[in-house]
Amino acid sequence: MPRNREFDIEQALDQALNAFWLKGYAATSMTDLMAAMGLSKSSFYQCFGSKREALLAALSRYSVRELAETRLHFNSAEPVAPLLAAWVRHSIDSGACRPSQRCGCLIVNVAVELAPHDGEIEEAVRHHLDKLAAFLADTIQRGYADGSIPKRFEPAQSADMLLNLIAGLQVLAKGGVEAHRLAAIVDVQLDCLLGQTH
Amino acid sequence: MPRNREFDIEQALDQALNAFWLKGYAATSMTDLMAAMGLSKSSFYQCFGSKREALLAALSRYSVRELAETRLHFNSAEPVAPLLAAWVRHSIDSGACRPSQRCGCLIVNVAVELAPHDGEIEEAVRHHLDKLAAFLADTIQRGYADGSIPKRFEPAQSADMLLNLIAGLQVLAKGGVEAHRLAAIVDVQLDCLLGQTH
DNA sequence: CTTGTACTGGACCGACCGGTCCGATATAGT
DNA sequence: ACTATATCGGACCGGTCGGTCCAGTACAAG
């Protein structure tokens, strides 16, 4: 009868996710990971296979979590426009994997660092981006139907524009651009999309 | 009388810049750098001081170059709007440090990888972003004056929106998003800013 | 008790990391 | 020729990298 595992896989993976999110992949050493996860190397490799595979698992986990939270946010009988505005504004705050740390968005971080050089990572990134875009497009279509969003662009175009907006904001935030400028960018973009500022 | 230096500093720095641009800072080893620059370690350290200092020098060089090219692009008697549209569209193509490689934008890459953890790098990033934003704001003001851009937003707001647009595009491109979607994002955004699509 | 099994700890591995050191070298002046 | 000087080459450094290995351990079943 085998010895029982002493740690919880999902919890350990969350810790790994946070470590990668904070420092990036290359700059996070195995020592960093072991410290974050509270595991020995043997337990880590036994369970996750390799550093890269741990990252892939973390990406998947992050994606599932983000998409679920997004769906929950829009799961309301309220008109879509204010929900959308709140969601975009919230995205500026969500790049904090730790208090007072600017971690950005794990997908964005990994897209920049690894996607051009690793096909499987790129697929994971694409998978997330495409699913989010599809959900946003449906949501915008809903906004057209409920009349809260003026039909100015194809839903897919607006969705991609939102993706781009969020990605850009994460970069500028990590680069140290002031919060009031980020908020102003959001105002301008919401004006374009929804036809009013607040 | 001292021995003469056998390499050109600017040229070596360009090669270093390309190496960092392609692989990122942490993932570019000293061996990679020496191969790219064609130098021995002694020559490198004698001249540049450290890996990090070489990156700072490369960032500065990239920034000067990008800002100069941008100024040149807008140094025209033509109305601003079409110049702006062409400049934004060109930005999608300029993320290729090498043929067939998606390198994105060095400033964006470094903002994501290093800025939150290194104050001096963050300053360099901020310096570039702020200078570019200031130039774009002046340019947009010029567009208001020549009548080619409708006065919908404060020039600084529009400039920041453009910064955000470019940053987001670089991320999505590195993440593998198709070119036609990127082009459509540009169309939508130019419509918002200039009041027409092409 | 023994057995079989998965898990754990920690020593170990070859390779690599950024950087140091110093003799050899190129160069012009005397 | 010698001298002074900055540059170059490459051996070397201590530490770190991701990953391997195997004895020890925990556990339930027989």
Side-chain angles (χ1 to χ4, degrees):
Chain A
M1 190 62 178
R3 177 178 173 173
N4 297 319
R5 180 173 288 123
E6 295 177 10
F7 62 92
D8 177 71
I9 294 185
E10 305 296 329
Q11 188 167 72
L13 196 49
D14 275 339
Q15 305 302 343
L17 187 160
N18 286 338
F20 286 130
W21 197 359
L22 178 65
K23 299 187 70 172
Y25 180 72
T28 301
S29 67
M30 290 306 299
T31 304
D32 294 332
L33 268 188
M34 298 309 102
M37 296 167 100
L39 302 184
S40 70
K41 285 206 196 169
S42 298
S43 298
F44 173 85
Y45 283 105
Q46 161 63 26
C47 189
F48 297 103
S50 70
K51 186 184 177 187
R52 180 171 166 280
E53 280 177 59
L55 177 66
L56 281 165
L59 278 177
S60 181
R61 189 167 175 77
Y62 183 86
S63 178
V64 167
R65 195 172 81 193
E66 291 295 310
L67 291 171
E69 285 178 10
T70 301
R71 288 197 187 96
L72 194 62
H73 178 86
F74 287 98
N75 189 17
S76 162
E78 226 183 305
V80 171
L83 290 176
L84 191 56
W87 179 74
V88 173
R89 291 200 164 97
H90 173 68
S91 78
I92 307 182
D93 306 320
S94 67
C97 59
R98 294 224 193 124
S100 83
Q101 294 278 7
R102 308 188 315 255
C103 303
C105 159
L106 182 62
I107 298 290
V108 167
N109 297 346
V110 169
V112 170
E113 185 186 350
L114 298 167
H117 307 291
D118 186 320
E120 208 172 350
I121 300 278
E122 178 181 331
E123 269 183 53
V125 168
R126 279 296 310 273
H127 178 77
H128 178 83
L129 293 177
D130 292 345
K131 287 197 79 138
L132 183 55
F135 175 77
L136 290 175
D138 288 344
T139 302
I140 286 158
Q141 184 64 260
R142 216 176 98 199
Y144 290 161
D146 75 16
S148 67
I149 303 181
K151 284 187 183 177
R152 302 181 58 171
F153 309 108
E154 292 296 318
Q157 280 186 315
S158 296
D160 279 350
M161 186 194 115
L162 283 168
L163 270 201
N164 198 70
L165 169 62
I166 304 292
L169 288 171
Q170 298 296 341
V171 171
L172 296 190
K174 285 196 83 169
V177 174
E178 301 98 311
H180 71 85
R181 282 168 72 185
L182 301 182
I185 291 167
V186 172
D187 288 345
V188 171
Q189 297 286 50
L190 288 177
D191 183 74
C192 294
L193 204 57
L194 310 180
Q196 25 82 18
T197 306
H198 331 291
Chain B
M1 188 61 177
R3 177 177 174 172
N4 296 320
R5 180 174 288 121
E6 295 177 9
F7 62 91
D8 178 72
I9 294 184
E10 305 297 330
Q11 189 168 70
L13 197 49
D14 274 339
Q15 304 302 342
L17 187 160
N18 285 338
F20 287 131
W21 197 359
L22 177 65
K23 299 186 72 172
Y25 179 72
T28 302
S29 66
M30 291 305 298
T31 304
D32 295 331
L33 268 188
M34 297 313 103
M37 297 167 96
L39 302 185
S40 69
K41 283 205 197 171
S42 296
S43 297
F44 174 84
Y45 283 105
Q46 163 64 24
C47 190
F48 297 104
S50 70
K51 184 183 176 187
R52 181 173 165 279
E53 280 175 60
L55 176 66
L56 281 165
L59 278 178
S60 180
R61 189 167 176 79
Y62 182 87
S63 177
V64 166
R65 194 172 79 194
E66 291 297 308
L67 291 172
E69 285 180 9
T70 302
R71 287 196 189 96
L72 192 60
H73 177 87
F74 287 97
N75 189 17
S76 162
E78 226 184 307
V80 171
L83 290 176
L84 192 55
W87 178 74
V88 173
R89 291 198 165 99
H90 174 66
S91 77
I92 306 180
D93 305 319
S94 67
C97 58
R98 295 226 191 124
S100 83
Q101 295 276 4
R102 307 188 314 257
C103 301
C105 159
L106 184 63
I107 298 292
V108 167
N109 297 346
V110 169
V112 169
E113 185 185 351
L114 298 167
H117 308 291
D118 186 320
E120 209 172 348
I121 299 276
E122 178 181 329
E123 269 182 52
V125 168
R126 278 296 309 274
H127 178 76
H128 178 81
L129 293 178
D130 293 345
K131 284 194 79 128
L132 182 56
F135 175 77
L136 289 176
D138 288 346
T139 300
I140 286 159
Q141 186 63 258
R142 218 176 93 198
Y144 291 164
D146 75 14
S148 66
I149 303 183
K151 285 188 182 176
R152 302 182 56 171
F153 310 108
E154 291 297 319
Q157 279 183 318
S158 296
D160 279 349
M161 186 192 113
L162 283 168
L163 270 200
N164 198 71
L165 169 63
I166 304 292
L169 289 171
Q170 298 296 342
V171 171
L172 297 189
K174 285 196 84 170
V177 173
E178 300 98 313
H180 71 85
R181 282 167 75 184
L182 301 182
I185 291 167
V186 172
D187 287 345
V188 170
Q189 297 285 52
L190 288 176
D191 182 73
C192 294
L193 206 55
L194 309 180
Q196 22 82 18
T197 308
H198 331 288

